Amino acid sequence: MMSGEIDALYIYDEHNNPLVEQVYRSRPPSAATILPLYLAHPAPRPSLLYIPNATPPVTVFSIVQSNLLFLALSEVDTEPLVALEFLHRVVDVLEEFVGAPLISHKIQANYEVVAQLLNEMCDAGVVCNTELNSLQEAVEMPGWMGKLLGNVGLSGSSTPILGPPNTLKRSISANAATQGPAIPWRRSGVRHTSNELYVDIIESLSVTMAPSGRLLSALVSGTIAFTAKISGVPELLLSLTAPGGQQAIGRKLELPVFHPCVRLAKWRERPGELSFVPPDGRFILAGYEVDLLPIDPSLDQPPSHMEKLFLPAIVDIRKSLGSSGSDFEVRLILNTNFPGYSSSNRPGGRNGSGTSTPSFLGGGGNSSGPVLEDVLVTIPIPKSVRNITDMQASRGDALFSPGNNVLEWRVPTKDAGTVSGTATLRCTVAGHSTGDDDFDDEAEEVDPEANLLQGYYDPEPSTSYQAPEEGTTKRKTKKKKKKKVKKSSRAAPAIPDADQQEEIPQEPSQPQSPTPPQPSLSPQPQAQQPPTDDASRSIFHTTQRKTKAQLNATLMPNSAAVSFSVRGWLPSGIKVDSLNIDPRRSRGLGETVKPYKGVKYLCVSRKGVERRC
């Protein structure tokens, strides 16, 4: 089994200056030594890098949070998920102790607290304690009194000066002993004046569509965030439901992950029910994935539980428009008729939980439907595009960034009455100037139905080389073009004279042969005359020239994606059915205490709905 040992943890500021160097085991490279080796790899750098040039060779795990670089070093084979999860836990704990957002000034001002936290979270390279509640008991955060005494030169510890804290700690420890064994993820003796429970379900939508509009993939990544501000040690039971009923939860959720507080036996026995003792404060209760297109390619028939996918925003692109093919049009279709929500009764906001308001939700609130916000269409533009001009948007504003080669179109959704409908954006692309522009007019006159290879691969050479009087449609077209270019070339002996001049250097013994080529001659000498042979001339010249439409076709975008967020709606259809407290297993919570309960749904799609073209 692969062990998870971390040798050192380094934190760098936004200027790549070392802030914290925490060494747990062995003698890994220092922070100043490993940083140039890490930055030598071109961006974007992966989260896992093996650096053999270091002494000793190490594996570097990295994350970036608020412009701060976190590096974890390991000399031995370490499970990548263990190291990366440890870095994310370090970020979460530091944000809780020193405040979010996490900036370098806060870490420098609270270095003593940061050092204690890093020592508690990892011991001799082994990750041991990453729970926030247990760290709050092990590491004391200095309050305003300690900071004030420290500024005047006195000891920052308030224990020898103030007597009541020791008495309070003894009373809390006595109450904790009566409440049962200690729970690693929950502090003992938790007390709140206002008891509240909140459930937030956030889903990220990712959809890929073919140029025809057919769905290629539709995935949802969900997170259940829980906030518990309740006294004592409560035992909670959270029930989830789906459009197919509570029995469909186990089939709908894929790869579920849970907080250690969740009893897995209860979930396996009855999928959709989460029984747990929550930590104090906000934490991630569970995570899951949902495939909105669960089609088995080995089956000829779609599954019986196939559901119709609803998308509040769809984007489409029409390319090569206009006389020269330099225009393209982006169409954005917005639909706010969310399934399961009627116009008369649409619960939303903190109290919204689906087609009907659950009985456990307390408090009032304005009943509103799902709200579509932050609509942004992103169009990647090829690097060969110099500029985009004449951007005409029916709604919103469009902006082109030449440095990023991205066209962004923001559509406002403040007025709910005019959200639904279709919005268009028409643009004109301008590429860099090329030498082919001088031949555009001449190249457009070529007959599009002409076979450029006619006679070139003919199995009978006499047809293509020995019958010049039987001209093809292509040759007639080229002769018409020759009349336009050279009006004095109407004389009949012009072509024989040209042939005669070409044959003189090849056959010096017969300089005055006015007769046409004999059938016995090989076609090889004439095949070596690309300037006079019409077939070869059309092949070598027309393939190199491109029309304006062909040149502009390479400047067209190949995809478009739309980003949005919806409050009060989830694409998977998962909802909270109930949230109850088990009074028989709960401790320290009075029978008369009825906490306030609320639920909120949020769908976020960052460039999630992508249309290929």
Side-chain angles (χ1 to χ4, degrees):
M1 182 178 180
M2 185 179 297
S3 61
E5 296 182 354
I6 297 176
D7 297 335
L9 173 65
Y10 300 145
I11 304 177
Y12 302 86
D13 62 4
E14 57 273 8
H15 303 293
N16 292 330
N17 297 323
L19 287 177
V20 177
E21 297 186 35
Q22 182 69 33
V23 178
Y24 294 111
R25 59 181 297 274
S26 184
R27 292 185 177 180
S30 62
T33 304
I34 200 65
L35 183 63
L37 301 177
Y38 172 79
L39 297 178
H41 291 263
R45 302 175 183 88
S47 301
L48 187 151
L49 278 177
Y50 178 70
I51 302 181
N53 301 333
T55 305
V58 293
T59 303
V60 179
F61 306 90
S62 63
I63 64 172
V64 178
Q65 180 70 23
S66 301
N67 295 328
L68 300 183
L69 178 62
F70 292 78
L71 298 183
L73 279 61
S74 178
E75 300 179 13
V76 298
D77 293 336
T78 303
E79 184 68 31
L81 293 180
V82 174
L84 294 177
E85 182 64 21
F86 171 72
L87 291 178
H88 285 286
R89 291 291 184 94
V90 168
V91 172
D92 295 340
V93 170
L94 292 182
E95 287 182 346
E96 186 67 25
F97 272 83
V98 304
L102 199 61
I103 58 179
S104 58
H105 174 72
K106 294 181 180 179
I107 295 179
Q108 293 175 349
N110 301 275
Y111 179 76
E112 296 181 358
V113 177
V114 172
Q116 294 182 49
L117 290 173
L118 297 181
N119 287 325
E120 290 290 337
M121 298 179 69
C122 186
D123 186 12
V126 179
V127 180
C128 52
N129 184 12
T130 59
E131 291 296 333
L132 179 61
N133 285 258
S134 59
L135 290 174
Q136 289 176 346
E137 292 185 348
V139 178
E140 292 186 1
M141 186 69 181
W144 64 272
M145 181 60 71
K147 293 181 180 180
L148 178 61
L149 295 177
N151 292 333
V152 297
L154 300 178
S155 176
S157 177
S158 60
T159 303
I161 300 177
L162 302 177
N166 291 332
T167 307
L168 181 61
K169 287 185 177 180
R170 286 195 298 267
S171 61
I172 291 177
S173 60
N175 294 334
T178 60
Q179 291 178 359
I183 301 175
W185 54 83
R186 185 173 179 84
R187 296 185 293 110
S188 58
V190 178
R191 287 289 181 270
H192 290 281
T193 55
S194 60
N195 296 298
E196 300 173 344
L197 298 175
Y198 297 110
V199 183
D200 298 334
I201 303 181
I202 303 98
E203 290 187 354
S204 178
L205 178 63
S206 177
V207 178
T208 304
M209 305 176 66
S212 60
R214 183 173 60 91
L215 295 176
L216 300 179
S217 65
L219 301 176
V220 168
S221 177
T223 302
I224 302 178
F226 200 93
T227 303
K229 297 180 180 180
I230 188 169
S231 304
V233 184
E235 181 76 21
L236 304 181
L237 181 61
L238 177 65
S239 298
L240 304 176
T241 184
Q246 192 171 6
Q247 62 275 8
I249 288 290
R251 181 181 66 247
K252 198 175 188 65
L253 298 185
E254 298 179 0
L255 303 175
V257 292
F258 303 101
H259 191 273
C261 65
V262 177
R263 293 183 174 87
L264 297 180
K266 184 71 173 179
W267 174 267
R268 294 191 183 99
E269 180 182 356
R270 301 189 63 179
E273 292 189 358
L274 299 175
S275 178
F276 58 97
V277 176
D280 185 50
R282 183 178 175 86
F283 65 99
I284 303 299
L285 179 61
Y288 59 88
E289 292 183 359
V290 177
D291 187 2
L292 300 179
L293 299 176
I295 300 178
D296 190 356
S298 61
L299 300 179
D300 296 335
Q301 298 179 355
S304 58
H305 61 278
M306 188 66 185
E307 303 170 7
K308 185 178 180 181
L309 179 61
F310 173 81
L311 296 177
I314 300 176
V315 66
D316 189 13
I317 292 185
R318 298 175 58 192
K319 303 188 302 182
S320 300
L321 304 179
S323 58
S324 60
S326 60
D327 297 351
F328 68 90
E329 184 180 75
V330 183
R331 298 181 59 190
L332 176 64
I333 303 175
L334 301 178
N335 186 9
T336 56
N337 297 324
F338 296 90
Y341 294 88
S342 61
S343 58
S344 59
N345 185 13
R346 289 186 178 183
R350 172 66 70 175
N351 296 335
S353 62
T355 56
S356 60
T357 304
S359 59
F360 70 87
L361 295 178
N366 49 352
S367 61
S368 60
V371 180
L372 179 63
E373 298 176 333
D374 304 330
V375 178
L376 173 65
V377 179
T378 305
I379 308 167
I381 303 298
K383 295 182 179 180
S384 56
V385 175
R386 177 172 52 87
N387 193 12
I388 294 182
T389 60
D390 194 17
M391 293 182 290
Q392 301 177 0
S394 61
R395 294 174 57 185
D397 299 325
L399 177 63
F400 174 61
S401 301
N404 301 328
N405 296 321
V406 173
L407 174 62
E408 294 184 349
W409 177 27
R410 296 185 180 273
V411 180
T413 57
K414 295 181 179 180
D415 190 0
T418 60
V419 169
S420 298
T422 303
T424 59
L425 172 65
R426 192 180 181 97
C427 303
T428 302
V429 296
H432 298 278
S433 60
T434 58
D436 296 335
D437 296 341
D438 300 335
F439 304 97
D440 290 341
D441 298 336
E442 181 181 353
E444 289 176 359
E445 297 179 3
V446 179
D447 187 5
E449 298 180 358
N451 186 5
L452 299 179
L453 299 180
Q454 184 174 359
Y456 194 79
Y457 293 102
D458 199 313
E460 298 180 2
S462 60
T463 304
S464 57
Y465 295 99
Q466 299 181 9
E469 67 277 3
E470 298 178 0
T472 59
T473 305
K474 172 185 64 59
R475 295 184 179 180
K476 293 180 180 180
T477 305
K478 297 300 290 184
K479 288 181 180 180
K480 292 180 181 180
K481 289 176 57 58
K482 191 178 295 182
K483 291 178 181 179
K484 294 182 180 181
V485 178
K486 295 179 64 178
K487 296 183 179 180
S488 61
S489 62
R490 301 175 60 90
I495 296 179
D497 292 343
D499 297 337
Q500 182 179 359
Q501 292 176 4
E502 294 294 337
E503 292 176 359
I504 289 175
Q506 296 179 4
E507 297 180 4
S509 61
Q510 298 178 1
Q512 299 179 358
S513 178
T515 58
Q518 299 297 327
S520 61
L521 294 178
S522 174
Q524 183 177 0
Q526 292 191 9
Q528 297 177 357
Q529 301 175 7
T532 59
D533 188 80
D534 293 340
S536 61
R537 182 175 182 179
S538 62
I539 291 174
F540 290 105
H541 286 270
T542 56
T543 54
Q544 293 178 359
R545 299 175 183 177
K546 294 183 180 181
T547 63
K548 284 187 178 181
Q550 292 175 343
L551 292 175
N552 293 329
T554 60
L555 307 178
M556 294 292 109
N558 296 323
S559 64
V562 56
S563 306
F564 58 88
S565 62
V566 182
R567 291 186 289 109
W569 173 79
L570 296 178
S572 65
I574 296 177
K575 301 174 183 177
V576 176
D577 185 59
S578 63
L579 176 60
N580 300 319
I581 300 177
D582 190 355
R584 296 177 300 176
R585 295 185 176 181
S586 301
R587 299 182 180 88
L589 182 64
E591 298 180 356
T592 59
V593 176
K594 294 183 180 180
Y596 177 86
K597 308 171 188 178
V599 63
K600 182 172 64 176
Y601 304 119
L602 177 62
C603 172
V604 179
S605 179
R606 295 289 178 260
K607 300 181 183 180
V609 182
E610 181 182 4
R611 183 72 170 264
R612 307 286 176 85
C613 58

